Amino acid sequence: MRRIYFDNNATTPLLPDVLEAIQPYLLGSFGNASSIHQQGQQARAAVEQAREQVAALLGARTSEIVFTSGGTEGDNLALFGLVRPGDHVISSAIEHHAVLNSCKRLEEMGTAVTYVGCGADGVVRPEEVRAALRPETKLISVMMANNETGALQPVEELGEIARAADVYFHADAVQAAGKVEIDVEQIGCDLLTIAAHKMHGPQGVGALFVRRATLLRSQLVGGRHERGRRAGTENLPGIVGFGKAAELAAEWLAEGGAGGGPERMRGLRDRLELGVLAEVAGARVNSFAAKRVPNTSNIVFDGIEGEGFVIAMDLRGISVSTGSACSSGAIEPSHVLTAMGLSGEDARSSIRFSLGKQNTAEEVEQVLATVPEVVRKLRELSPVWAGKQ
Ligand SMILES: Cc1ncc(COP(=O)(O)O)c(C=O)c1O
């Protein structure tokens, strides 16, 4: 059975060109980028080329790119590197746990944090952020695209608010990178996190954009790597693959105008979404009213339980996901969907379909042919659904 992978917000497959770019750096060209001999110089040149490729994707200077081990480290470095006890931080209730739990840790360390909510569309309201500003506010940290719903957040307006208040602005752009254009100047952010594995690069590598002259305290203590902002020998093959993935992402984004790239992906996503809504009664799209990244569709199916749906689809060769997380044996409804006002029941009945560049129209049709049957079977077994009929 050829599997269909519609869980690209969890991670994406490597593109063949990325694999090809990485391979030499796993074997012959294995040097440490800090060594002064030839192998070291080759490694340094490869890391710096990748830095240029990543900087170009974000409209940043190469000196403003710090390589990390991924999105979580970038978010941690931004928050812990900047904020001190006594400061105030504004974040949102719909952030990824890499930011939310970092904020909780900051609170334990004596930082005050305000978590603004969002509208029913899953979008943070800039007025709420402005109203939360205090004289001691140091940082606003709000994501660019939500990982569960795909809803794009008003980062440019938040950048303006931050600049006017002389406050730092960090955007977690892990789910935006490679899906929509990112220009750090246009956003006006001081810090921005991305991760390679969400854009067809390897897992375990990412980058934090750090605007020039931003004083950031390194969290890993050691050598003077990454201009003293992140100690540790660079992940050479990972960084090379990340650079290639960034270059390919920039080319792909430019195809949008010609109906390829993101426009093609949006077409596939919309076909999937509208097809599901047409075929399945009692289905609604979360964040339908919001501007979204082109690959994500999060759908509530009344009367089903998300985990059961994921397992049933898995048995049919299709990978999708729920937003809910299993903690201490209980299925917790997604904090994002509940912040949008969904009931626990609706949040537990929500499924995330997320597409990647490798997905095809045929795969969308196959998923469309499978979803109604799976929903019908699960509803037949559901006491909740029986009660609703
Ligand atoms: C919005 C967002 N931020 C941060 C992360 C963490 O990234 P990583 O898995 O590379 O640590 C993720 C991963 O899903 C994410 O979706």
Side-chain angles (χ1 to χ4, degrees):
M1 174 164 60
R2 245 194 82 239
R3 291 196 58 90
I4 298 179
Y5 185 76
F6 274 17
D7 195 16
N8 290 273
N9 284 10
T11 198
T12 52
L14 275 193
L15 290 173
D17 286 353
V18 174
L19 177 63
E20 202 179 302
I22 291 174
Q23 267 165 342
Y25 295 93
L26 290 166
L27 291 167
S29 305
F30 57 84
N32 182 323
S34 299
S35 303
I36 54 176
H37 48 61
Q38 260 189 34
Q39 282 111 324
Q41 287 173 34
Q42 277 167 11
R44 172 57 54 205
V47 167
E48 296 315 316
Q49 190 195 343
R51 204 184 301 281
E52 278 170 26
Q53 290 162 316
V54 171
L57 182 69
L58 306 179
R61 298 179 185 86
T62 50
S63 58
E64 294 172 320
I65 300 299
V66 179
F67 286 119
T68 64
S69 65
T72 301
E73 189 191 327
D75 287 341
N76 273 254
L77 179 54
L79 273 78
F80 293 107
L82 202 66
V83 177
R84 303 274 173 278
D87 289 339
H88 173 239
V89 172
I90 304 171
S91 191
S92 87
I94 61 165
E95 298 301 305
H96 187 272
H97 282 117
V99 167
L100 270 187
N101 286 341
S102 293
C103 285
K104 288 199 185 125
R105 180 70 65 84
L106 284 172
E107 286 186 276
E108 286 164 21
M109 291 159 52
T111 298
V113 182
T114 302
Y115 302 91
V116 298
C118 65
D121 55 0
V123 178
V124 167
R125 300 290 184 257
E127 316 82 74
E128 273 191 55
V129 172
R130 189 183 288 114
L133 285 167
R134 299 182 194 169
E136 64 276 20
T137 306
K138 177 80 164 276
L139 172 72
I140 296 170
S141 181
V142 172
M143 66 199 333
M144 185 163 177
N146 185 268
N147 43 302
E148 294 190 32
T149 62
L152 285 162
Q153 305 301 319
V155 284
E156 288 179 25
E157 285 164 83
L158 297 176
E160 264 172 43
I161 291 172
R163 244 173 307 169
D166 199 15
V167 162
Y168 289 100
F169 177 39
H170 166 241
D172 174 344
V174 168
Q175 292 292 350
K179 295 172 188 159
V180 291
E181 302 275 357
I182 299 180
D183 181 339
V184 290
E185 290 311 319
Q186 213 169 315
I187 296 171
C189 56
D190 304 288
L191 301 146
L192 181 136
T193 305
I194 64 172
H197 73 113
K198 310 287 190 186
M199 40 184 275
H200 301 278
Q203 297 180 353
V205 58
L208 180 66
F209 157 78
V210 182
R211 185 173 292 284
R212 195 162 53 170
T214 305
L215 282 180
L216 198 74
R217 184 186 290 174
S218 141
Q219 297 302 295
L220 294 180
V221 181
R224 297 272 317 150
H225 307 84
E226 299 295 300
R227 295 169 170 245
R229 295 168 298 191
R230 200 272 186 183
T233 298
E234 293 88 345
N235 169 2
L236 176 63
I239 288 171
V240 168
F242 186 16
K244 188 67 193 176
E247 182 189 300
L248 294 171
E251 284 170 18
W252 182 82
L253 286 167
E255 282 172 32
E263 283 318 307
R264 175 186 162 275
M265 180 177 276
R266 188 183 301 281
L268 293 181
R269 192 272 311 272
D270 290 351
R271 162 77 187 131
L272 173 73
E273 199 165 87
L274 298 176
V276 166
L277 293 183
E279 292 296 321
V280 183
R284 293 173 299 288
V285 175
N286 291 317
S287 287
F288 193 69
K291 284 194 189 124
R292 288 177 289 160
V293 284
N295 80 317
T296 308
S297 183
N298 191 307
I299 305 182
V300 191
F301 295 101
D302 287 341
I304 67 142
E305 183 268 308
E307 312 296 307
F309 184 93
V310 170
I311 294 165
M313 292 290 278
D314 191 40
L315 291 172
R316 290 162 177 75
I318 299 168
S319 301
V320 296
S321 75
T322 64
S324 45
C326 194
S327 73
S328 30
I331 307 232
E332 297 289 337
S334 140
H335 67 281
V336 174
L337 301 179
T338 48
M340 288 164 62
L342 268 72
S343 64
E345 189 186 318
D346 278 357
R348 284 193 193 86
S349 304
S350 295
I351 300 297
R352 182 182 71 187
F353 301 85
S354 52
L355 277 63
K357 290 181 196 171
Q358 78 284 5
N359 292 128
T360 63
E362 294 70 45
E363 289 178 324
V364 169
E365 295 310 317
Q366 202 170 324
V367 173
L368 268 180
T370 311
V371 170
E373 177 233 357
V374 167
V375 172
R376 188 170 43 75
K377 289 224 162 101
L378 291 174
R379 282 177 175 168
E380 276 167 18
L381 303 171
S382 159
V384 182
W385 182 250
K388 283 195 172 178
Q389 296 311 290

